[in-house]
Amino acid sequence: TTVKGAIDDLDLVVQTLKECGFQRNRFYIHCDGALFGVMLPFLNQVPQITFKKPIDSVSVSGHKFLGCPLPCGVQMVRIKHIGGTLSKDVEYIASRDATITGSRNGHAPIFLWYNLSLKGYNWFEKEVRKCLHNANYLKGQLKKAGVSVMLNKLSNIVVFERPQDDGFIQHWQLSCQGNVAHVAVMPNVTIKTLDSFMDELVAKRLMWFKDGGNQPPCVASQIGKENCVCPLHKC
């Protein structure tokens, strides 16, 4: 999910469909790789997204991990799904249009090409590993501070109990949903930044939960009871 940074097991999905008797023409699999779709190819021994498997389309964002200066992305679809549904001849441009919107931004592919060419494979590999390392570091620091926290496998999105102060949330630009918030540990997020965040969070929690009058929220339903350290689930 967007908030929790989970990565579906594509091979298990395909296996389950087969075991349930679904023929290939009875399902359509879209792989939404907005953020992680760009990161996974730079890791070893991880599930691979490839059209050699029975998938139908893949999308990745260019403005997230790749860092393009405007919202953009790439979507790849099997030709058989485009056919007469999207593709049609347009007389006044003397060309065939196969886009969803009927037009597309010509600057986006230039930014994507420039970014990939400038940084190169080794840079992306190093940055992906750094993001995952820093995400695990943040998870460890939150856990040490007694904060309910979860980090999905191969994810750089750290999910934890929602801070009690809206000002703190706005200052650190945290994304929240219900009783949880998340931090997407991207290449610009350093250990120094994470330490500053933790120092302020720990200080704030001493005020929020002073004298035991207020208690941390239960987030077991969002991140699992094994990750929740509210008074009800604290070991």
Side-chain angles (χ1 to χ4, degrees):
T1 62
T2 302
V3 173
K4 299 176 185 177
I7 301 174
D8 292 325
D9 187 334
L10 174 60
D11 294 332
L12 181 59
V13 170
V14 173
Q15 178 186 333
T16 303
L17 286 167
K18 288 182 178 179
E19 290 175 354
C20 292
F22 284 90
Q23 298 299 316
R24 181 64 182 93
N25 62 355
R26 292 187 61 203
F27 63 84
Y28 183 108
I29 296 178
H30 171 67
C31 298
D32 179 9
L35 173 59
F36 298 138
V38 180
M39 299 175 69
L40 289 179
F42 299 99
L43 297 171
N44 297 322
Q45 297 179 336
V46 299
Q48 292 300 312
I49 308 300
T50 168
F51 280 96
K52 292 179 181 179
K53 298 179 180 181
I55 65 173
D56 298 277
S57 55
V58 177
S59 62
V60 295
S61 296
H63 58 284
K64 294 181 179 177
F65 188 79
L66 292 178
C68 290
L70 50 83
C72 60
V74 175
Q75 178 156 333
M76 293 176 283
V77 186
R78 290 189 185 274
I79 293 177
K80 67 179 182 179
H81 295 308
I82 297 177
T85 306
L86 294 176
S87 182
K88 62 180 179 179
D89 292 314
V90 182
E91 183 179 2
Y92 71 86
I93 62 172
S95 181
R96 192 165 185 81
D97 179 27
T99 66
I100 295 173
T101 60
S103 181
R104 56 182 173 265
N105 185 345
H107 286 89
I110 296 175
F111 283 127
L112 284 168
W113 169 83
Y114 178 77
N115 219 331
L116 292 167
S117 301
L118 178 69
K119 294 174 179 176
Y121 187 96
N122 291 336
W123 183 93
F124 282 108
E125 184 177 39
K126 182 183 73 172
E127 291 302 302
V128 168
R129 295 186 183 280
K130 183 181 81 172
C131 288
L132 297 187
H133 172 271
N134 290 355
N136 275 283
Y137 174 80
L138 176 58
K139 176 193 173 184
Q141 294 301 102
L142 286 164
K143 193 172 182 179
K144 189 187 300 183
V147 180
S148 298
V149 60
M150 178 192 75
L151 175 62
N152 272 305
K153 185 180 179 181
L154 302 175
S155 177
N156 66 328
I157 294 180
V158 182
V159 188
F160 57 100
E161 66 187 52
R162 181 175 184 153
Q164 305 287 302
D165 185 344
D166 287 339
F168 179 85
I169 291 172
Q170 292 176 7
H171 173 73
W172 287 100
Q173 299 180 12
L174 300 178
S175 297
C176 300
Q177 185 179 77
N179 284 333
V180 296
H182 81 206
V183 169
V185 183
M186 302 299 282
N188 65 307
V189 179
T190 64
I191 294 293
K192 183 178 179 180
T193 301
L194 295 176
D195 285 341
S196 296
F197 170 77
M198 284 304 306
D199 289 343
E200 187 174 340
L201 179 62
V202 169
K204 290 283 188 181
R205 281 171 59 84
L206 289 174
M207 293 188 294
W208 299 335
F209 308 126
K210 186 178 180 180
D211 302 326
N214 190 19
Q215 296 292 334
C218 177
V219 290
S221 62
Q222 288 110 319
I223 65 174
K225 62 181 182 180
E226 70 277 10
N227 298 310
C228 182
V229 294
C230 74
L232 182 63
H233 296 102
K234 189 174 182 179
C235 296

